[in-house]
Amino acid sequence: MIPENRANPLPLILWLLVQLGALALSAGQVSLAYQFPEPAERLALHVMVLIQIAISALLFPALFKSPTADIVTIACALPFTQLAGFLALEDQSHMLLAMAYVATWMIGLSIWRVALTTPRARMIGVAAATAFALGGPLLWYLRAEFATKSDAANFSQIGVWGPVMGSASVLSDSHLLRPWLVTGVTIASGLLLLICRRILAPSSPQLVHVVHTRGIV
């Protein structure tokens, strides 16, 4: 058992291994879906960003333990994003956009981690972040499956269907601003939670003692 005053390296190790696995899948030209583009490494950057967004949503309470851990976690993601970009033969601007998008998403999650102080609140945060990250692609797929031809023009709006779809929009068109609203909402909601916690928190240790002894919470 790792003492509380020592950092637990396991989440960071898992974070690195998952990204290494995503890179290995693309390098091994593994097709992840029916009619996947050939060669498979053409979408290496897309696959890497998707994995980084999804796994960071699942692990953010463990990954973002402190400001130092936040910096290390984000810094460890950037080289993998760049390697995936090199594998996909993407230009430097697309790699920088992908790195910036992932970094802003994870900054939002790190703020959530500070704002959510109890284990129960953090588990709710994990569920919300995961649903936000992966719910968009699921809803988009269902819409694509059952939409009529007249709805086809609306598919250019996929940038607002969560961070995964937002990253795909950014990589396809660097001039789109809608996808950045998704990461902006993540950061803004985290700041709002943090402000609410500071406002609603008892202002002194004596008040905390009174609240607990009287059974108010």
Side-chain angles (χ1 to χ4, degrees):
M1 184 176 180
I2 298 176
E4 291 185 0
N5 59 348
R6 293 184 59 188
N8 185 353
L10 293 180
L12 183 60
I13 292 173
L14 179 60
W15 174 240
L16 295 173
L17 290 176
V18 168
Q19 293 177 94
L20 185 61
L23 194 63
L25 286 175
S26 297
Q29 298 187 358
V30 177
S31 296
L32 300 177
Y34 178 66
Q35 294 184 340
F36 202 72
E38 297 291 343
E41 64 264 24
R42 284 173 51 194
L43 291 183
L45 185 57
H46 294 73
V47 171
M48 179 60 69
V49 172
L50 185 155
I51 292 295
Q52 288 173 333
I53 290 173
I55 298 302
S56 61
L58 287 167
L59 297 179
F60 81 86
L63 286 173
F64 303 109
K65 287 284 189 180
S66 65
T68 301
D70 299 351
I71 295 172
V72 170
T73 299
I74 295 173
C76 287
L78 301 184
F80 283 101
T81 310
Q82 190 169 29
L83 287 172
F86 287 143
L87 187 62
L89 299 179
E90 296 279 0
D91 56 48
Q92 192 67 30
S93 63
H94 278 83
M95 287 187 278
L96 291 174
L97 278 172
M99 287 189 282
Y101 197 84
V102 171
T104 52
W105 162 254
M106 290 197 289
I107 288 170
L109 292 181
S110 69
I111 299 173
W112 280 28
R113 171 59 178 79
V114 175
L116 303 174
T117 57
T118 65
R120 183 171 182 271
R122 288 170 190 157
M123 290 303 99
I124 293 173
V126 168
T130 305
F132 188 41
L134 299 180
L138 177 60
L139 293 174
W140 181 84
Y141 169 78
L142 292 174
R143 182 178 179 183
E145 190 71 19
F146 298 105
T148 62
K149 292 183 179 180
S150 60
D151 294 329
N154 295 328
F155 282 71
S156 61
Q157 309 287 338
I158 64 171
V160 297
W161 291 59
V164 169
M165 305 305 291
S167 66
S169 295
V170 166
L171 292 175
S172 64
D173 187 350
S174 60
H175 299 290
L176 290 176
L177 296 179
R178 291 189 188 93
W180 296 98
L181 295 177
V182 175
T183 55
V185 166
T186 308
I187 293 174
S189 61
L191 292 173
L192 183 61
L193 285 171
L194 191 59
I195 292 171
C196 291
R197 196 199 77 178
R198 295 289 175 86
I199 293 174
L200 298 176
S203 58
S204 67
Q206 292 80 8
L207 183 54
V208 173
H209 176 73
V210 171
V211 167
H212 282 283
T213 53
R214 293 185 178 180
I216 298 175
V217 294

